[in-house]
Amino acid sequence: MRVPMTAGNWKMNTTIREATDLVSEMRPLLDQIENIDKVICPPFISLAAVKELIRGSSIKLGAQNVYFEEEGAYTGEISPLMLADLCEFIIIGHSERRQYFNETGELVNKKILAVLRAGLKPILCIGERLEENEAGKTEEILAEQLRLSLAGVDYPRSLIIAYEPVWAIGTGKAANSKQTNETIGFIRCKIAKLYSDEIAQNMRILYGGSINADNIAEFVQQPEIDGALVGGASLKATEFVSIVKQTSQIKGR
Ligand code: PEP
């Protein structure tokens, strides 16, 4: 049985004050929802304050990025060791980082290896661009992203995958839920081939791309989809709570 998950990617939004206000609003509501992992990923600068605010709660904390070295002359970067004191999850390879910060598959792989070494749980984002989707290359692209990202990873027990078609992120155009179920089934088969059936069956694979309180149910009703990575809608307390609640109700059945 895979524990469902909703993860909120706040991206480059919220000052420390806004982040703590948002968490204070969400905390009592999220704490009432059971049988699901609820993860919030605020910007780096708010992690420490948010960690204090969620002490004793069931909310878990994640970061949005990391560098792969442990320490040293890498001005402006944050290492997995620094994050290990603060959070449990780290989003790696988000398409915005691939697009705006030129992150390659090789860099994503170094980050995954470093995060696993530090005992943290990576949320690996993979997904095809619109032109790749239209050219029927989705599976080929995903297989290649998995191959590159997981090179040298022997046993990805704590890994979570987020399938995020690039054309669905922040566009208001979510993917088709049945098609997404098939694509996530394909990803699970690839994981089984790379590792084992047991690892594939236990791995949580999320969907991300324009999820909101109105469309989450149709996605999590699909058997392969274990939850969602949510961007824009994770910045609105009541909407995020509704997404978490619907996921827990549907997947808990
Ligand atoms: C994301 O940033 O991972 C994401 C899925 O964004 P949105 O929900 O806004 O499309």
Side-chain angles (χ1 to χ4, degrees), residues 6 33 36 211-216 220 228 230 233-234 238-248:
T6 311
I33 309 171
I36 182 165
I211 280 293
N212 56 44
D214 295 330
N215 65 14
I216 184 65
V220 292
V230 184
S234 69
T238 48
E239 180 136 25
F240 187 66
V241 169
S242 169
I243 292 168
V244 174
K245 197 172 195 167
Q246 292 181 62
T247 306
S248 124

Side-chain angles (χ1 to χ4, degrees), residues 7-11 91 94-96 125 162-174 207-212 228-234:
N9 172 16
W10 294 9
K11 312 194 190 200
I91 298 172
H94 192 282
S95 65
E96 287 153 14
C125 300
Y163 166 57
E164 299 209 309
V166 179
W167 46 271
I169 298 178
T171 58
K173 291 183 197 142
Y207 164 74
S210 298
I211 280 293
N212 56 44
L229 178 56
V230 184
S234 69

Side-chain angles (χ1 to χ4, degrees), residues 5-13 38-48 50-51 54 59-67 77-94 96-97 103 111-112 115 118 120-125 160 162 164 206 229-230 234:
M5 173 186 273
T6 311
N9 172 16
W10 294 9
K11 312 194 190 200
M12 196 177 72
N13 293 294
K38 312 146 225 178
V39 183
I40 52 174
C41 305
F44 283 136
I45 55 155
S46 297
L47 286 173
V50 169
K51 187 184 174 196
I54 60 173
I59 303 171
K60 299 179 176 191
L61 200 52
Q64 299 173 21
N65 182 32
V66 72
Y67 195 55
E77 294 298 319
I78 303 283
S79 82
L81 277 188
M82 296 168 181
L83 290 175
D85 285 340
L86 285 170
C87 62
E88 187 176 339
F89 298 89
I90 305 189
I91 298 172
I92 304 285
H94 192 282
E96 287 153 14
R97 297 214 56 86
E103 288 202 5
K111 291 184 175 192
I112 294 277
V115 164
L120 292 158
K121 299 174 183 161
I123 302 177
L124 167 65
C125 300
I160 291 133
E164 299 209 309
L206 315 179
L229 178 56
V230 184
S234 69

Side-chain angles (χ1 to χ4, degrees), residues 15-201:
T15 60
I16 297 176
R17 179 62 193 268
E18 287 164 346
T20 53
D21 284 352
L22 185 54
V23 173
S24 305
E25 198 182 340
M26 284 179 182
R27 180 184 161 152
L29 303 168
L30 287 177
D31 269 340
Q32 291 168 22
I33 309 171
E34 291 178 337
N35 305 320
I36 182 165
D37 275 347
K38 312 146 225 178
V39 183
I40 52 174
C41 305
F44 283 136
I45 55 155
S46 297
L47 286 173
V50 169
K51 187 184 174 196
E52 281 309 306
L53 272 182
I54 60 173
R55 196 178 287 281
S57 115
S58 56
I59 303 171
K60 299 179 176 191
L61 200 52
Q64 299 173 21
N65 182 32
V66 72
Y67 195 55
F68 60 86
E69 294 287 358
E70 283 185 4
E71 60 181 14
Y74 304 101
T75 301
E77 294 298 319
I78 303 283
S79 82
L81 277 188
M82 296 168 181
L83 290 175
D85 285 340
L86 285 170
C87 62
E88 187 176 339
F89 298 89
I90 305 189
I91 298 172
I92 304 285
H94 192 282
S95 65
E96 287 153 14
R97 297 214 56 86
R98 295 181 197 252
Q99 183 179 349
Y100 303 127
F101 304 99
N102 303 319
E103 288 202 5
T104 60
E106 286 77 13
L107 181 57
V108 168
N109 176 241
K110 286 183 178 171
K111 291 184 175 192
I112 294 277
L113 289 166
V115 164
L116 291 170
R117 249 193 329 268
L120 292 158
K121 299 174 183 161
I123 302 177
L124 167 65
C125 300
I126 56 173
E128 81 287 0
R129 294 199 295 263
L130 183 61
E131 61 274 22
E132 294 164 337
N133 180 284
E134 287 173 347
K137 290 186 169 165
T138 299
E139 292 190 353
E140 188 188 320
I141 296 294
L142 295 177
E144 181 62 3
Q145 287 178 343
L146 283 175
R147 190 186 66 77
L148 285 174
S149 309
L150 298 178
V153 175
D154 311 323
Y155 196 63
R157 192 166 277 289
S158 62
L159 182 83
I160 291 133
I161 293 179
Y163 166 57
E164 299 209 309
V166 179
W167 46 271
I169 298 178
T171 58
K173 291 183 197 142
N176 173 285
S177 56
K178 286 203 172 66
Q179 180 61 53
T180 300
N181 189 59
E182 282 172 25
T183 306
I184 290 186
F186 167 81
I187 294 170
R188 206 176 295 288
C189 276
K190 277 277 147 204
I191 294 293
K193 282 198 186 117
L194 286 170
Y195 297 98
S196 68
D197 272 342
E198 194 245 325
I199 289 193
Q201 284 313 317

